[in-house]
Amino acid sequence: MDVMILNGPNLNRLGRREPEIYGSESYADLVAACTLQAAQLGLVIEVRQTQSEGELITWLHEAADTGVDVILNPAALTHYSLAVRDACAMITGTLVEVHLSNIAAREEFRHTSVTAAHANGVIAGFGFDSYRLALQAIAARRG
Ligand code: DQA
């Protein structure tokens, strides 16, 4: 595996969840879009989603131990989870934080990302393209 794509709480509800913000495509569609983009870039990916902060942290530990690159959408955990932030600090590969929506243009509590400081970069506001762009950034860095 080259890249772990990790998704936090509620992202499994894509398509049914506030479609005016997150779009009408489903989580399965997101996985398919990432799988296609990764194949085009020659990257082997694994896409995971959890409602659990602890499980997400365990996956970040796994990424730290194996040295894989990570694309992370921590969802609401972005805004308050210092435990996820500390796990992000352990990542040795490239870490790209992604958001479907532009968190800077939404409610004030979403303007803060406690995790972003440990990412190499953040891509937000482009829907599924946020993930495609993150894969392209990782492919470019891997050379
Ligand atoms: C999100 C933005 C977060 O504020 C929100 O809690 C999410 C999704 C996004 O991808 O736009 O669950 O991370």
Side-chain angles (χ1 to χ4, degrees):
M1 191 205 321
D2 301 312
V3 187
M4 246 188 222
I5 302 182
L6 303 179
N7 293 289
N10 301 309
L11 288 166
N12 60 317
R13 307 282 299 178
L14 286 178
R16 284 172 290 172
R17 172 193 184 201
E18 298 179 275
E20 65 287 358
I21 296 172
Y22 298 113
S24 56
E25 291 181 285
S26 68
Y27 177 72
D29 293 333
L30 175 64
V31 174
C34 290
T35 303
L36 178 61
Q37 177 68 95
Q40 287 165 345
L41 294 166
L43 293 171
V44 177
I45 62 166
E46 205 171 295
V47 190
R48 303 180 189 175
Q49 189 276 329
T50 181
Q51 320 304 354
S52 155
E53 181 179 17
E55 188 166 37
L56 186 59
I57 290 166
T58 299
W59 290 344
L60 287 165
H61 292 172
E62 188 185 326
D65 288 343
T66 55
V68 295
D69 294 331
V70 177
I71 295 172
L72 175 64
N73 185 346
L77 296 166
T78 305
H79 312 301
Y80 67 88
S81 175
L82 298 179
V84 172
R85 176 194 167 102
D86 284 350
C88 288
M90 300 176 206
I91 298 298
T92 51
T94 296
L95 172 62
V96 183
E97 179 172 317
V98 296
H99 299 281
L100 296 155
S101 64
N102 179 1
I103 55 175
R106 298 183 60 196
E107 303 97 316
E108 198 156 342
F109 73 88
R110 295 187 204 274
H111 297 182
T112 300
S113 168
V114 300
T115 48
H118 292 297
N120 296 87
V122 179
I123 302 171
F126 296 102
F128 286 9
D129 279 343
S130 293
Y131 290 74
R132 292 189 186 96
L133 291 164
L135 282 164
Q136 289 167 27
I138 284 174
R141 282 171 67 91
R142 293 170 72 97

